[in-house]
Amino acid sequence: MKAIILTVILVLIALGVLFALLLLLLFIIARVSKHYQCLDVYEFEKQLIITRERQLIDVCTPREFEKYHIRGAKNIDFRSSDFRKEIENLNRTIPVFIYCLSGVRSKLSAYQFKKAGFKTIYELNMGLRAWLKAGRPVTTGSN
């Protein structure tokens, strides 16, 4: 009987810890998502079209970028040790559009852009894979 009670207590403690971690994760996501607008493919493309002055940034690796990217994009590799330095050289007052292959690196980089002082940040939800799945145009080659 004592073993059963102890097991139940341990399970409840574990569930409490998992719940606390989930709340912490949701809090972090909510804080980060306040810093930029996450747009689906069609909203992202529409915003690209209506925004006259813009900076389109692909945060994929150079190899991924050469395979395919959105026309007019500048490649700044999120995994590069120079990433922060490279985004510091961009104009913080001009809207920035960010994407990567799947949406993970672009979400992480959006926070870095915000910390660097960028005012308007748009991020492509689900990344270039969603763009391709929607049949939107891409190009190949380097910058």
Side-chain angles (χ1 to χ4, degrees), residues 65-69 71 138-142:
F65 184 81
E66 283 188 26
K67 188 173 179 183
Y68 41 68
H69 57 272
R71 183 177 301 281
V138 293
T139 190
T140 60
S142 61

Side-chain angles (χ1 to χ4, degrees), residues 1-12:
M1 185 67 171
K2 286 183 181 182
I4 293 173
I5 292 172
L6 183 59
T7 302
V8 168
I9 290 171
L10 290 175
V11 167
L12 289 174

Side-chain angles (χ1 to χ4, degrees), residues 31-43:
R31 292 225 24 188
V32 169
S33 66
K34 286 181 183 178
H35 298 299
Y36 66 93
Q37 293 181 51
C38 182
L39 306 176
D40 68 26
V41 169
Y42 302 103
E43 293 169 329

Side-chain angles (χ1 to χ4, degrees), residues 62-122:
R63 189 175 198 172
E64 292 168 325
F65 184 81
E66 283 188 26
K67 188 173 179 183
Y68 41 68
H69 57 272
I70 299 172
R71 183 177 301 281
K74 175 181 175 59
N75 183 221
I76 302 177
D77 184 359
F78 179 70
R79 295 179 180 155
S80 166
S81 60
D82 291 334
F83 178 75
R84 179 74 178 194
K85 184 178 171 183
E86 288 191 52
I87 67 172
E88 298 262 346
N89 291 328
L90 299 172
N91 188 328
R92 290 169 181 76
T93 63
I94 298 175
V96 65
F97 291 76
I98 309 167
Y99 71 91
C100 66
L101 190 58
S102 66
V104 175
R105 287 171 285 180
S106 57
K107 283 180 181 18
L108 294 171
S109 68
Y111 182 69
Q112 295 300 317
F113 276 86
K114 186 63 178 180
K115 276 178 48 177
F118 287 79
K119 305 296 180 212
T120 307
I121 304 166
Y122 300 103

